[in-house]
Structures are given as C-alpha cells and as structure tokens.
Amino acid sequence: MGNIENQSQSHSAAFEKEIQTNFQKDMSYGDYLHLDQILSSQHRLSSHHDEMLFIIIHQTSELWMKLILHELHAATQCILRNDLEPSFKMLSRVSRIQQQLIQSWNVLATLTPSEYMEFRDKLGHSSGFQSYQNRLIEFSLGNKNAHTLAVYQHQPELYEQLNQALHEPSIYDAAIHALAAHGLSVNEQALNRDWSKNYEANESVEQSWLTVYRHTGQYWDLYELAEKLVDIGHQQQLWRFNHMTTVERIIGHKKGTGGSSGVTYLKKVLDQPFFPELLSLRTKL
C-alpha cells in the first residue's frame, strides 16, 4: 500500500496546479485544430483493417501539400519582388516537407498486394492522379500541362483555380526574372513567354546561371536561390520515384484506378525534370 500511495502522490505532484483544466469558455487544443472534423474524416468503404492506413497516408499527404503550396506561393512573390532572402527559409521548409512526403511511401509500402486487393475495387475510378494539389505543385515548379485540367471539369471552382495557376509564372519563371533584375542577359523569349506552356531550356538562361556559378561571391543571393531550387527539384523527383516503386511493389503493372497505365505512366513522369539549366550547367562548369 505504501508504494501505491507514494506513486499516487508522485503523479499528483507532476500535475502542476497552474495547468488549465476548465475549457467551458476557453479554446482548447482540439478546438484550435478542429480535431473533431479532422479525426472524423476517415470513412472506410470496406471492413478491411488496412484501408485506414491507405486513407490516412493520402489525407496527411494532402495536408503537407497544402503547406508546400503555401510556402511556394509566398516564396514566388518574394522572388518576383526581387526580395530573395526571405524566400530562402520558405524554400528550405518546402524541401523538409518533401522529405516527410517521401517517407510516407515507406509507410504505405507495408501494405501488401493481397491486402490492397481486398479493398481496391471500393476506390472506383478515384486515383492520386486526380490530386489537384499535386497538380498545383507541379505547375508551381514549372511543369505545366493544360490537358490535365480536363480531370477537374466537374468542379468549376477548382477548374478555375487550376486554370489560373496554369497561366501564372512558376517559381522558376520568377527566378529567371531575378536573373534579369540583377543585370544578367536573359532574352525576351524566356522573360515574356506563355506561362501556360511547359518550360523549355533557354540558352541565355543557362549562360546567366553559369555566370552566377562562376562568380558566386558577386551573385551570392542568386547562387543560394539556385541551390534551393535544385534541392526542391531533387526532392520532387525522389517523391515521384518512391511513388512509382511503391505502386510497382503493391500492384505491379496493373492499370491505375484512374485509368492511367500505372507504373508505366509514373516512369514517364520521371523523365520530366525541373529547372533544366540548373542541371545542364553542372556539365559545363
């Protein structure tokens, strides 16, 4: 009995008297985060145990993507104003978030083919291919494709949001304008192009970046920006690769639920790199 009493007294002492316990009129942790809504949004369509894993992985990924878009938008606005330094923290944060997303594929990979087949048919034609936030991230990084908007025609407001993003400069377009703002010679084709088109490498842009990398002391902020972008592009490619290998591990070469060729399509996506001149200049340095 003595030990039990001592333990009870120890636990009471650990609970500090100033800790708030009455939330009848005050906002609690759960209230602030709207946990009642978030934690009640996992609706399995089957009775299979592992469907919960599948839902939560994708829901949390969408939350991380929302934060990526929040940071990318702010960083792009900073760069367009030629105010580069504040963007560096935002871009560093994006690369850390990407690491969280990359790691999530390792958790999903604990789902075996046999287990997934138990509830895959419940997904219907829903597919990660339809993730509008992932599409917005690709647009923000310069990978534009107007044809992908067809997937969202049934949601007019979402379609308009994507169409607007399609016609806005990407973060790389903003970086190219920063090159010109620093007095580097970038031709009009790169500075005033159709933002809705997928970016294609430009000789004047490559030469400008080469100048930055050859004179890092003179152009340190541009050099720092370039390396931040390279890091984000690299992380996005790792995310794509882990996506592809996880899909291959779970469903092999079956068609995707959304109608894509599955692994074959995801392998093609890997051949669409970001920020081409920041990669090609490494060969020419």
Side-chain angles (χ1 to χ4, degrees):
M1 287 290 292
N3 288 337
I4 293 175
E5 289 175 358
N6 290 337
Q7 288 175 7
S8 177
Q9 291 172 359
S10 176
H11 288 309
S12 297
F15 193 82
E16 298 175 1
K17 293 180 180 180
E18 297 301 318
I19 290 177
Q20 181 72 23
T21 58
N22 186 347
F23 291 96
Q24 293 297 321
K25 297 181 179 180
D26 286 336
M27 178 177 64
S28 70
Y29 172 82
D31 295 332
Y32 175 68
L33 295 176
H34 297 279
L35 291 182
D36 55 340
Q37 298 176 41
I38 294 173
L39 299 179
S40 61
S41 297
Q42 293 73 47
H43 305 290
R44 289 185 292 168
L45 298 181
S46 75
S47 60
H48 198 277
H49 172 84
D50 291 324
E51 190 182 355
M52 185 63 77
L53 162 70
F54 191 82
I55 292 171
I56 288 176
I57 285 291
H58 288 84
Q59 287 183 338
T60 53
S61 293
E62 290 293 335
L63 284 172
W64 283 125
M65 288 180 190
K66 183 174 183 176
L67 185 53
I68 284 177
L69 288 166
H70 178 70
E71 300 294 341
L72 283 178
H73 176 75
T76 301
Q77 295 307 306
C78 286
I79 298 166
L80 285 172
R81 295 194 301 269
N82 199 30
D83 186 16
L84 303 188
E85 287 192 7
S87 74
F88 299 158
K89 176 66 177 294
M90 299 167 191
L91 297 178
S92 292
R93 182 174 291 159
V94 168
S95 68
R96 298 301 185 274
I97 300 166
Q98 288 173 307
Q99 290 169 16
Q100 294 291 325
L101 286 167
I102 292 166
Q103 175 62 25
S104 72
W105 292 120
N106 294 333
V107 181
L108 187 60
T110 64
L111 182 67
T112 69
S114 298
E115 291 162 348
Y116 183 45
M117 288 304 112
E118 291 289 327
F119 63 87
R120 187 180 189 239
D121 63 317
K122 299 295 184 181
L123 303 180
H125 292 298
S126 64
S127 166
F129 179 84
Q130 298 146 19
S131 169
Y132 76 90
Q133 291 198 124
N134 184 51
R135 189 63 54 198
L136 285 171
I137 289 171
E138 293 277 330
F139 284 2
S140 295
L141 298 180
N143 183 19
K144 304 287 186 77
N145 186 339
H147 297 297
T148 59
L149 267 63
V151 175
Y152 312 99
Q153 287 179 338
H154 66 295
Q155 297 172 289
E157 290 185 8
L158 187 54
Y159 182 92
E160 181 53 37
Q161 181 184 352
L162 284 152
N163 189 51
Q164 181 178 338
L166 182 74
H167 289 85
E168 290 176 345
S170 71
I171 196 166
Y172 193 51
D173 292 314
I176 291 171
H177 274 262
L179 289 172
H182 280 70
L184 292 159
S185 180
V186 180
N187 66 32
E188 283 297 310
Q189 287 180 321
L191 291 172
N192 296 303
R193 67 184 193 86
D194 182 349
W195 310 125
S196 69
K197 303 296 183 182
N198 193 37
Y199 180 80
E200 295 183 2
N202 181 284
E203 177 65 21
S204 71
V205 173
E206 183 182 74
Q207 290 302 317
S208 295
W209 283 124
L210 276 168
T211 299
V212 169
Y213 274 73
R214 286 170 175 155
H215 305 280
T216 56
Q218 182 180 352
Y219 299 104
W220 183 261
D221 52 351
L222 287 171
Y223 176 59
E224 181 75 7
L225 173 62
E227 286 299 295
K228 297 292 186 189
L229 292 178
V230 169
D231 191 31
I232 288 173
H234 178 67
Q235 298 290 350
Q236 191 70 6
Q237 283 289 63
L238 287 177
W239 183 86
R240 287 170 165 183
F241 179 78
N242 279 26
H243 184 188
M244 181 271 292
T245 55
T246 302
V247 170
E248 186 174 41
R249 174 173 176 161
I250 297 175
I251 67 167
H253 287 262
K254 293 184 181 71
K255 287 185 66 174
T257 49
S260 76
S261 56
V263 168
T264 301
Y265 168 79
L266 295 174
K267 285 182 176 178
K268 290 178 182 177
V269 172
L270 282 169
D271 291 329
Q272 300 169 3
F274 303 97
F275 324 135
E277 294 90 353
L278 293 180
L279 298 178
S280 63
L281 71 82
R282 283 155 161 74
T283 305
K284 297 184 179 181
L285 272 176

